[in-house]
Amino acid sequence: MTYLFALLRKIKKSRLNPNHSRSRAAFKSTKTGSLATERPAPTSNANSTPSSPTTGTPASEDDEEDSSESSRPSIMEGLGENFAVVEDGWEDSLYRHQVDEAVLDDYLNSRNSHYKVDDDGTGRWTCLPPQAEDAEELCEPLSNIISSILGLLEEPSGEKSTREVINSHSDAFKYGTYKEACPDISVRATGPSFQLPKPSEEYVEGLGYSNAASVFDVLLDGHNLRDIDQASKMANHCKNIFLQQPNRNFVRSLIITQSSARLVHCDHSGVYLTPFFNIHRRPRTFMRLVLGLSSRKEDVLGFDTSIKWKVKSKDGRKRSGTITVVGDDGIPTSYILRMGRQPLVRQDFIGRGTTCWRAIHPVTGERVLIKDAWRPETRLSETDFLDTAKGIEGVVQVLSHQDRLAETKGYRPDVFEWKDSENRIKSRVVMKQYGLPIDCFTSRFQAIAALRDAIAGNREMLSRGVLHKDISIQNILFGPPGATPGRRGVLIDLDMAGWMRNSRRELRVNPFLGTRRFQSISVLLSEMWHCSPSHDYFDDLESIFYVLCTLVLLFEKPGVRSEPDERNFVKWDHSDPVCSGEAKIAFVNAYPIEASPFWGEVCEELVIGFKAILKPILDRKDAIRVSRKVPKEAKPDKLEAIGREFDSDDVYENVIKLFDDALLAIEREDREAAGVVASTSTLPTASAASSPLPTVPKADGRRFLKRPADGNHSEASPAKRLHRS
């Protein structure tokens, strides 16, 4: 926040002629710090939104052409994604359908327009002073001009919607401490996609980002504010609008001085600005932008109108809503939004912009989760992998999907080249709804059983040629209540999945994809050693291993973390992938595997056994990476060859057997602690014929978990629990 307030003070005191911007060529692209936000909200297919301490840091969400998100601070601390200043003239082409030119001319010639043409043919907005000491002096006259334009020229609308111009610097301003962090001028809106803010969300009485159609920032002529600083502040406003208005596809705003204005456009591909243009010499362009950014037609404002709400007249809050999905058969289904459950909205608007809606099927009443996301056009749709995963227990099941609802290139100028931006495509997926993320466990049996079933699902996906590539603790959910073995844990989020048949160029490991804490060592060190082999199933298994370690070693018991272990685990989240990789190497080689009494020796030995399966492979990969005898260009081939030496099904079977044996022991211990009579186990028996495991001796030379236990665990599905009188 210190940086923000320094920036905002600079904004108000700036003194460099903005018209210098006009000398640009077609566009200008600038790299700096970070346009991004705090940790993204989980996009889990969950029934509620818990506070999860083990989410980890997103390394990035996009492919190698995108910048890393791993070290992104708040968006307020600067714009680090590339942004562009487009060619002068694009602003003239916008919103020409909003109003006829003749109407604009009639308005400018009217007495109430605040615009006057002198005898020499030079026009100007008369209420704007040519000179001002402070930008705040311009807010009132600009508000009057904008109000006048909206009042006389607003297009009719059949919906109950209104627009009202609010000067944030009026006496109604609520929070003096944050005064400069809020928009100078806002267009307060009512209508299907807006709602009154909660009192804590207001920056003016009755006004917040939830009911702002657009916002305007005011500067003085002669300001010395860089494009990057202007973009950063406006992008922060737009970020808050995206969060409070989750069906927005794009947000536009204006920066205005006493003589000029520029448009700022924000969408999921990035941020771009027009050059400043003179509002006195080009009043029609200014009026069209004001009308477009304040339109009562929600699609013009950038809303996805397939999502609709009804607003309570009493309190101005949304009371019901629907989201429509057009299935493969071309038939639309309007799902009923669960208004008691807020959508899960990804904090960073640049990138996937994932929003998850909780809804109900209008006919069956089934609870579903509907996921909207914007993928790069170079990436396959998640639906390709979801369709392949149909019928696999332990993997999220898709019910319906719709692709290409929108594309960000549709919001750009016709002639627009920006090498650091990529067109993104919006897709919508309807999935079965599952439980909470796995770190919200209430018992060790529940956690280990869920992870076991997710591993089995991952193995089955592999048999169908799919690598997940982004396994994390937030991407493994509990199955529905009473789930049978095989469905107790569910692997979700196939956004970054890939086909095993693809080339190395498409599958190569990338430390800026996925969640840092759970990335494999091979992925993390690929940049340092300039060695990027294809992502393989060992990378997925290693991610699962780190999920297990996080559960068993970080948590002392449900909801309680070990502070000493947390200090070590946080190193895995380091923004530098090399630091994270080196921390994991140290962990695998020397970290003591000591679980709390809650987990017990059974889970401790499970971690040790899993590590024993992975460590020989990790050591061999490390030897190839550091070898000076192996040519650099040959290293990816040799690393990939290691995965082909092993039968993946055997490897997974060995891992699953470890989990099955651990669950049998947990059943036995929990029954003994409860004094329950033994009967028949509820665990699956498919792994009974699995190939031999590596020997994992205990410190005293004994093997653990020799005998299967009898009886039913209390958390088995109700139909299979032991019935007691």
Side-chain angles (χ1 to χ4, degrees), residues 116-124:
K116 181 179 180 181
V117 179
D118 295 333
D119 294 337
D120 60 0
T122 302
R124 67 170 290 104

Side-chain angles (χ1 to χ4, degrees), residues 104-159:
L104 294 177
D105 291 339
D106 290 344
Y107 171 76
L108 290 172
N109 292 326
S110 70
R111 292 183 178 181
N112 298 325
S113 68
H114 299 285
Y115 189 82
K116 181 179 180 181
V117 179
D118 295 333
D119 294 337
D120 60 0
T122 302
R124 67 170 290 104
W125 299 97
T126 55
C127 60
L128 283 176
Q131 302 294 327
E133 293 297 321
D134 191 284
E136 197 169 320
E137 296 176 29
L138 304 176
C139 291
E140 187 65 29
L142 279 172
S143 296
N144 292 335
I145 291 172
I146 296 169
S147 292
S148 174
I149 293 171
L150 295 187
L152 293 178
L153 302 179
E154 247 185 352
E155 81 279 12
S157 171
E159 298 174 327

Side-chain angles (χ1 to χ4, degrees), residues 393-394 448-458 484-490 684:
E393 293 185 341
I448 301 304
L451 187 52
R452 181 262 180 218
D453 288 353
I455 296 170
N458 182 238
T484 55
R487 301 176 180 178
R488 298 166 296 189
V490 180

Side-chain angles (χ1 to χ4, degrees), residues 458-483:
N458 182 238
R459 176 182 64 176
E460 185 60 27
M461 284 178 58
L462 191 69
S463 73
R464 299 188 187 185
V466 177
L467 290 163
H468 189 283
K469 296 174 59 181
D470 186 25
I471 295 175
S472 71
I473 209 160
Q474 285 294 313
N475 285 344
I476 301 174
L477 307 181
F478 292 117

